[in-house]
Amino acid sequence: MGRTSITPAPRPQALRVAAAVAGAYAYTALTTTPARPAPTLRPSQATFRHYEGSGLPVPQHPHTATFRFTISVRDLHPVTTRQVRAGLPGLSAHVIPALPLTVKGGTPKPPTVRISAHKCAALPPGFTLPPLDLGLRNRQAQQQRSHRFGGAHPRAPAACPHDACGPHRGHSGPPRGPRTDLTRK
């Protein structure tokens, strides 16, 4: 008669090792934390400010000009603008709607900034591009940024104090020509 091979019965020790390996794998798979989400960007990295143009004149404030912006956020976490100041002595800024202004990702907001010349003598001689100083905050950080907008924005705010105060102490008036926009290279 021919011999048939019989597989030996599994040993209890081999079963215990296989169970331990399977248990360790299952434990690791269940307790491993998922990949961390992308870190929150700093407020100035997550916020985009776009100049939309000049607003309507304010007859009751002859030394004032208004400028329209759109602020958007490219992060999951909202960014709050807590402060907007005109970046030169002698100028002041007022934001409509009132601050703080919180912008969530995907929902841009259109604030208007009213810049007023209230101390013509305090304006530095020869200025051409007044910045806006912004106080920004999100869950990552708080930042103070001085921001010069590109495009037509630098010419419009520079014209505001010139129109309100006239030339004085070396003030060269509003920028003229393409080379005065220092935000472009």
Side-chain angles (χ1 to χ4, degrees):
M1 262 180 116
R3 292 183 148 201
T4 59
S5 74
I6 299 177
T7 310
R11 295 183 178 173
Q13 183 178 10
L15 288 175
R16 281 190 290 249
V17 170
V21 169
Y25 178 75
Y27 176 79
T28 303
L30 294 174
T31 60
T32 302
T33 56
R36 292 178 59 184
T40 301
L41 298 172
R42 296 183 69 77
S44 62
Q45 296 169 320
T47 307
F48 291 94
R49 297 154 300 272
H50 180 72
Y51 176 64
E52 299 290 342
S54 296
L56 297 173
V58 182
Q60 59 270 43
H61 300 285
H63 300 296
T64 299
T66 56
F67 306 97
R68 296 174 293 114
F69 297 90
T70 298
I71 299 177
S72 59
V73 173
R74 70 168 181 180
D75 197 5
L76 295 174
H77 306 289
V79 173
T80 300
T81 302
R82 299 177 61 129
Q83 178 183 59
V84 174
R85 285 193 239 168
L88 293 173
L91 300 179
S92 63
H94 177 72
V95 180
I96 303 166
L99 297 177
L101 178 66
T102 300
V103 180
K104 297 178 182 176
T107 56
K109 292 202 176 177
T112 298
V113 178
R114 186 182 320 163
I115 297 178
S116 301
H118 60 89
K119 290 184 183 175
C120 294
L123 293 170
F127 86 91
T128 56
L129 299 174
L132 287 177
D133 294 336
L134 307 174
L136 303 172
R137 179 179 63 82
N138 68 0
R139 62 185 252 167
Q140 173 76 12
Q142 291 186 46
Q143 292 181 300
Q144 290 292 124
R145 290 290 193 189
S146 186
H147 190 79
R148 294 183 194 268
F149 291 83
H153 174 265
R155 288 175 179 80
C160 166
H162 177 70
D163 293 345
C165 301
H168 74 283
R169 294 192 316 145
H171 179 277
S172 61
R176 293 179 187 88
R179 298 302 298 160
T180 57
D181 185 353
L182 301 178
T183 60
R184 296 179 185 210
K185 295 187 180 194

